[in-house]
DNA sequence: AATGAATGAGTCTTCATTCAT
DNA sequence: AATGAATGAAGACTCATTCAT
């Protein structure tokens, strides 16, 4: 790779140029997805918005799908960074602080590019390479499980996989749904209340003593 | 709709025939969505599967969007019926039984046509009149709010709108996500455990005495 | 098929309309191939020349290849008819008359649409469905072989497969090449001379007594 | 071409380098034509296979057509050399030996790069300057005509142009067709038989005494 | 009403060729 | 000279929708 010293600057220059093109394409895709929706995101339109020829688009992305996948990946990486950082901070914290950290991270994550997040969640067909939109959640599930394991004696739950699944799903859904349907609760002083409520929800669940649980069957109506 | 009895039998007959055609088209659309995905659901294909000419399709539905909207509406109505029935039963029940009723209803609702539910949720672009997929949730939120209001003294929460939002979102998300990612927890004996856990989550939240809540701020990392 | 009597005329009418469209497309393809060459024969251009929308083109032909294949088939069928008829006449004729019949048929066949014949022979890539351009020759080979078998005692050759191969290839090549490179020998009084010469070539070969053949090796230069 | 000896070594060096590049490009083109067909032979692909940048390709060849023409020319020259050599040997030989020489040469020529020969014959559109694939035949026709002229008294034919045309076309077509459709007759002991048969065909034709020819008309069916 | 042939705007994608570095 | 990024005209093909019968 670094074998041709004299061509390095040249190559570096062209690599830089390529990178600019690639970035412009991803950015244009994201912008179109947000502003006009998935259906309007045709490759020709993306190229035009990126200020790049359609030929260049196909030099870097083999298909429209690959382009959208790149947008997803970029967005996912940003989310992931926020979540990772929060969980890293949380790992040494006591239970409640950790939970608050997690919830705060979820809110922050959903604040990264909310419009894009919605489009990716609602309009992009989860098929082929595009189905790993939920990768972040999976990852969060695993990390949280580890945390719960380390704090096993503080909580009254035995099936930690299930608990992690429930918690991550709940926190994600609440944040996501709040962004979409109740953006008011995420701004100003209401935000703190929202965090408190969700913390309460989660904490109450985790700390329930095992004996309080009654595993009686429910008669489910057909 | 089926109220007009014997009068004008001829027209009634043709109305009936029309209804059959309409149903066939909606059914064909749903089947194709499930079996082949949104992208493959072309109007010509739908007409063919419905055993109807493309011309007739456009006689009853002005656009492809209208067709998909009809599928959504039909599915939504089915979900709605289940939820409504459960909430009607729950309205006179004590808190825990009501919660279990709600969770059971959510699970039942997701069992109506899970494949179609997923496709509608994941592949159908939520644009134009197609965005009322979430109408059921809205309705459930209102009904639940009424219930909580009636049981205000049993619960330690003041913002009932927020509480209803949190509960409905949580239960829906957990059920939906379980169907998609952890179908195992919804079958056999695990199902009861799942209901218990979610009940615990919800009940613990609702019953927390107001004094136990500490509204201290979290330092949210950027 | 003939079950719906009352719709017959209607259906027949639309079938007729379809047939007109199909014919127009094949004819347009052939014309473009002749006038502008294979490369210029784009589906959009074909549709335009046929006075038909591109959508209709794809309603009847799944691909450009299918369209060209249809042209080949149509041309091939015409050639085939001429050859078949000649061989049918020849089957009861004595050797020389049969040979003359065959050569005459080859010339007639090449006169059907010489320009198209050349384009098909020279410009159409023999790949996929398009490779059976040579089907006619194959068929002629088999028919001729049967004839030779029936006249075995008049000819001095044992390997009839090889003989049929040689004869068909030779006659086809001479006619084809004459059309391309020496069109003069196929018109006017020269035509008769050409037929005489080729007849002589073929007849001389077939009638050579076996004893005249000397199978001595040739030293082939590398 | 390689005549300029030691003078100006620098330039000579670069000329040499250029020649290497040119050869690599022609070779790459030929290889791709053979391995993947005409359609897959894009200029970018050719440059890549040749280990040369697309820019350099266009430094040496003004168009794709020029590149393919160079391949044709190179192949044609190789064929030509074989044919020329054979005819040079044949010029002093008696009739039968000369004929055998010619046939052997045709077979050898078709053995030079049979795959490439087929691709050039079947897939490369004969348009523009690409149509001189048949140049070799033309040349052979002239040379053979001269030979026949010199041996006029041994043969029973008056129209030597026509005779040369018939002979060259026949021998070429038989060899070509054998390579394509009956490769078995060109290998092992069958090869000798094939040469014998073709020799017989040609010799029989040439030696027919004029008086044996009967120029009676054929009634050609329309 | 029903039919299905016809429409054509618009999509994805390729590839010969140019040109800044 | 060499490089390879960029270009964009053009091609194959799809599909929602219209309309003559």
């Amino acid at each position: 790779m670094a074998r041709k010293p004299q061509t390095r600057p040249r190559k570096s220059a062209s690599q830089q140029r390529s990178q600019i093109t690639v970035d412009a394409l991803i950015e244009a895709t994201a912008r179109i997805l947000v502003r006009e929706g998935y259906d309007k995101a045709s490759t020709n339109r993306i190229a035009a918005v990126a200020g790049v020829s359609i030929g260049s688009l196909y030099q870097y992305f083999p298909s429209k799908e690959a382009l959208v996948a790149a947008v997803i990946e970029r967005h996912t990486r940003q989310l992931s960074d926020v979540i990772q950082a929060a969980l890293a901070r949380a790992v040494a914290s006591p239970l409640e602080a950790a939970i608050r950290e997690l919830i705060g991270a979820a809110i922050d994550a959903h604040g990264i590019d909310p419009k894009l997040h919605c489009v990716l969640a609602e309009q992009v067909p989860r098929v082929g390479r595009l189905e790993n939109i939920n990768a972040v959640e999976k990852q969060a599930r695993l990390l949280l499980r580890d945390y719960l394991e380390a704090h096993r004696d503080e909580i009254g739950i035995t099936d930690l996989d299930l608990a992690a699944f429930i918690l991550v799903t709940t926190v994600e859904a609440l944040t996501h749904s709040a962004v979409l349907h109740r953006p008011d609760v995420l701004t100003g002083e209401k935000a703190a209340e929202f965090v408190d409520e969700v913390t309460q929800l989660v904490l109450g669940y985790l700390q329930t003593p095992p004996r309080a649980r009654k595993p009686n069957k429910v008669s489910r109506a057909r």
Side-chain angles (χ1 to χ4, degrees), chain A:
Chain A
M1 265 201 162
R3 264 180 255 157
K4 297 182 183 174
Q6 74 285 14
T7 56
R8 264 271 214 99
R10 176 95 69 115
K11 198 180 169 190
S12 177
S14 63
Q15 272 180 188
Q16 191 180 314
R17 197 176 169 197
S18 297
Q19 195 55 50
I20 289 171
T21 301
V22 167
D23 289 346
L25 285 166
I26 296 179
E27 184 56 30
T29 306
R31 265 214 298 273
I32 294 176
L33 284 176
V34 167
R35 286 201 314 235
E36 313 183 33
Y38 183 78
D39 281 357
K40 298 287 171 52
S42 73
T43 51
N44 281 296
R45 182 131 184 64
I46 290 170
V49 169
V52 151
S53 75
I54 182 67
S56 292
L57 184 153
Y58 278 92
Q59 186 137 46
Y60 296 106
F61 296 92
S63 69
K64 180 188 170 182
E65 200 185 26
L67 213 31
V68 176
V71 170
I72 291 174
E73 207 183 332
R74 194 182 73 168
H75 184 65
T76 293
R77 194 159 37 240
Q78 291 173 340
L79 296 192
S80 195
D81 287 350
V82 169
I83 304 288
Q84 297 266 25
L87 285 170
R89 280 194 304 275
V91 80
S93 307
L95 196 56
E96 179 173 343
I99 297 298
R100 284 179 180 276
E101 202 74 70
L102 180 67
I103 296 166
I107 294 174
D108 286 349
H110 280 83
I112 285 173
D113 194 339
K115 296 259 183 69
L116 180 61
H117 194 82
C118 288
V119 172
L120 294 182
E122 303 200 325
Q123 290 185 41
V124 174
R126 266 49 91 64
V127 286
R129 299 182 49 181
L130 269 38
E131 60 188 4
N132 65 337
I133 297 186
N134 306 71
V136 178
E137 242 170 282
K138 198 174 206 168
Q139 182 198 37
R141 226 138 60 205
L142 294 175
L143 290 172
L144 183 61
R145 211 209 90 102
D146 289 346
Y147 179 86
L148 294 179
E149 188 121 24
H151 293 250
R152 167 172 275 160
D153 49 345
E154 295 174 54
I155 62 183
I157 293 176
T158 46
D159 189 339
L160 296 182
D161 278 329
L162 184 56
F165 169 76
I166 287 178
L167 291 189
V168 170
T169 301
T170 299
V171 170
E172 202 285 323
L174 285 171
T175 319
H176 184 85
S177 196
V179 169
L180 286 186
H181 307 301
R182 295 286 306 263
D184 59 297
V185 303
L186 292 177
T187 58
E189 52 196 45
K190 278 193 172 179
E193 190 197 344
F194 182 72
V195 174
D196 287 341
E197 292 296 298
V198 181
T199 304
Q200 193 51 49
L201 177 72
V202 168
L203 217 52
Y205 168 61
L206 286 178
Q207 293 180 330
T208 308
R211 59 194 169 282
R213 298 164 176 270
K214 24 177 176 169
N216 49 352
K217 309 284 181 280
V218 214
S219 68
R220 295 232 307 280
R222 236 257 73 172

